[in-house]
Amino acid sequence: IAGITQAPTSQILAAGRRMTLRCTQDMRHNAMYWYRQDLGLGLRLIHYSNTAGTTGKGEVPDGYSVSRANTDDFPLTLASAVPSQTSVYFCASSPGDRGWSGYTFGSGTRLTVV
Amino acid sequence: GEDVEQSLFLSVREGDSSVINCTYTDSSSTYLYWYKQEPGAGLQLLTYIFSNMDMKQDQRLTVLLNKKDKHLSLRIADTQTGDSAIYFCAENQAGTALIFGKGTTLSVSS
């Protein structure tokens, strides 16, 4: 593993199903983030974690939950998927040093909810 | 909250210069960033500028920062077809998470 790994790469999911998107980093970065990317809307922050054991809500948190049990992993869970959650999801991490927020991004998960 | 603003599209010919503009919102942002997204891929950090700088040059890339107007620009000299991508500017408001613009799609024709 080098950088950030997201899984799955793509998924078609029936509405109402539960789904967890996985994100793992091997850079020992303190901070991790989940964004969704939608055409015409750019990237919107869903949830973030400044350090292991803490999480926070971003711009569009409804319908999503996260956990940060350790430094490396930051899974995103959709408890009951809806079609409006069809999107490309990106996980990112940063060292979390004061002022510097240069992110490393994963390759994304393309999710289609039908 | 306020948005980071970018024009959505830019079309240039190969060999010309490209200038992508961005207006950001938080005058206290320490760093300002440009990310590049190629089709089907995640975002890659292209370059950045520290807020106490006016200009930064890195090979074919020149970043200009006007703090008074909260205006950031990215100039790509001698634009190539491989530069075709979506370019995002971003700022770190209040030290939490990066806020991204909606992205500028750069199309380079040969």
Side-chain angles (χ1 to χ4, degrees):
Chain A
I1 299 177
I4 291 187
T5 301
Q6 289 186 239
T9 303
S10 65
Q11 180 78 43
I12 299 174
L13 185 69
R17 298 294 295 271
R18 180 184 179 89
M19 172 82 187
T20 295
L21 308 184
R22 299 186 298 280
C23 174
T24 299
Q25 54 109 352
D26 64 352
M27 298 169 287
R28 308 302 294 172
H29 282 174
N30 285 320
M32 298 186 75
Y33 314 86
W34 275 105
Y35 287 85
R36 59 178 289 175
Q37 184 178 22
D38 302 288
L39 193 64
L41 297 177
L43 279 89
R44 293 181 291 168
L45 182 67
I46 305 171
H47 285 285
Y48 65 93
S49 169
N50 287 330
T51 189
T54 70
T55 62
K57 293 181 179 180
E59 181 185 355
V60 289
D62 294 343
Y64 305 95
S65 64
V66 292
S67 62
R68 187 87 185 277
N70 57 60
T71 297
D72 298 343
D73 301 299
F74 191 43
L76 176 73
T77 297
L78 288 68
S80 179
V82 295
S84 63
Q85 292 177 311
T86 294
S87 186
V88 181
Y89 292 86
F90 288 101
C91 179
S93 71
S94 73
D97 294 339
R98 186 182 180 87
W100 170 250
S101 297
Y103 287 7
T104 299
F105 278 84
S107 298
T109 294
R110 184 175 295 274
L111 180 66
T112 303
V113 182
V114 298
Chain B
E2 297 178 63
D3 292 338
V4 176
E5 299 284 348
Q6 296 180 242
S7 54
L8 294 182
F9 299 101
L10 177 65
S11 181
V12 301
R13 287 185 179 272
E14 192 173 23
D16 288 349
S17 293
S18 307
V19 179
I20 302 171
N21 294 303
C22 170
T23 303
Y24 61 97
T25 64
D26 188 350
S27 59
S28 67
S29 292
T30 308
Y31 290 92
L32 295 145
Y33 308 85
W34 284 103
Y35 282 82
K36 177 182 180 182
Q37 184 182 32
E38 297 183 348
L43 280 72
Q44 287 184 297
L45 180 63
L46 191 62
T47 188
Y48 64 92
I49 188 166
F50 191 51
S51 59
N52 69 352
M53 299 169 64
D54 297 325
M55 184 182 82
K56 178 180 180 182
Q57 187 151 2
D58 183 2
Q59 299 182 334
R60 293 190 296 121
L61 305 178
T62 302
V63 179
L64 295 178
L65 176 60
N66 180 330
K67 289 191 69 174
K68 175 177 172 290
D69 295 335
K70 298 180 189 172
H71 184 265
L72 184 71
S73 68
L74 173 69
R75 178 177 182 270
I76 305 172
D78 187 25
T79 312
Q80 303 297 308
T81 55
D83 294 323
S84 294
I86 304 175
Y87 292 82
F88 294 89
C89 70
E91 61 172 341
N92 57 327
Q93 293 179 355
T96 54
L98 287 186
I99 304 298
F100 289 85
K102 291 182 171 54
T104 299
T105 298
L106 174 64
S107 175
V108 183
S109 58
S110 56

